[in-house]
Amino acid sequence: QVQLVESGGGLVQPGGSLRLSCAASGSIDSISLMGWYRQAPGKQRDLVALISNGGTTNYVDSVKGRFTISRDNVKNMVYLQMNSLKPEDTAVYYCNAQIGLGVWGQGTLVTVSS
């Protein structure tokens, strides 16, 4: 079973950039969809970005043009490059593998504040 571990979160100023990493314990080359979700306190967990095995991407409207999702099936890694960060981007970010009922990482906290 694939296990996911996120890293790269932290405190950044508005307008800053951050790159999140998701390390998989096993191969992800057979997983059709990998994604990033985020959840702010008291809010539901929402989709941020998806990437297929063929490289097709989808983004929630609020991050289009600012965030980029990518995957490296050789290194078994998924990334989320976040630019022009806004305070409303503050949340715990989770990596997800669409396998079975879904596999989730433990999350990494991103705080955007001056």
Side-chain angles (χ1 to χ4, degrees), residues 19-73:
R19 190 192 195 199
L20 304 184
S21 297
C22 172
S25 63
S27 176
I28 64 170
D29 63 0
S30 63
I31 303 175
S32 296
L33 287 173
M34 299 291 298
W36 286 95
Y37 293 71
R38 65 187 181 185
Q39 185 171 22
K43 303 293 181 63
Q44 67 181 30
R45 187 173 300 185
D46 293 325
L47 173 69
V48 176
L50 289 172
I51 185 166
S52 73
N53 209 13
T56 301
T57 58
N58 286 294
Y59 300 90
V60 67
D61 286 343
S62 60
V63 309
K64 286 182 178 178
R66 300 189 298 120
F67 290 10
T68 302
I69 187 173
S70 61
R71 66 190 288 175
D72 187 332
N73 289 347

Side-chain angles (χ1 to χ4, degrees), residues 2 7 25 47 51 60 84 104 108:
V2 170
S7 62
S25 63
L47 173 69
I51 185 166
V60 67
S84 301
W104 298 89
T108 184

Side-chain angles (χ1 to χ4, degrees), residues 62-103:
S62 60
V63 309
K64 286 182 178 178
R66 300 189 298 120
F67 290 10
T68 302
I69 187 173
S70 61
R71 66 190 288 175
D72 187 332
N73 289 347
V74 175
K75 296 181 178 180
N76 297 318
M77 298 286 291
V78 183
Y79 306 97
L80 185 67
Q81 178 66 46
M82 305 183 295
N83 299 324
S84 301
L85 283 162
K86 304 175 180 179
E88 52 262 44
D89 295 320
T90 296
V92 176
Y93 284 71
Y94 297 90
C95 184
N96 172 260
Q98 191 165 304
I99 179 172
L101 297 178
V103 177

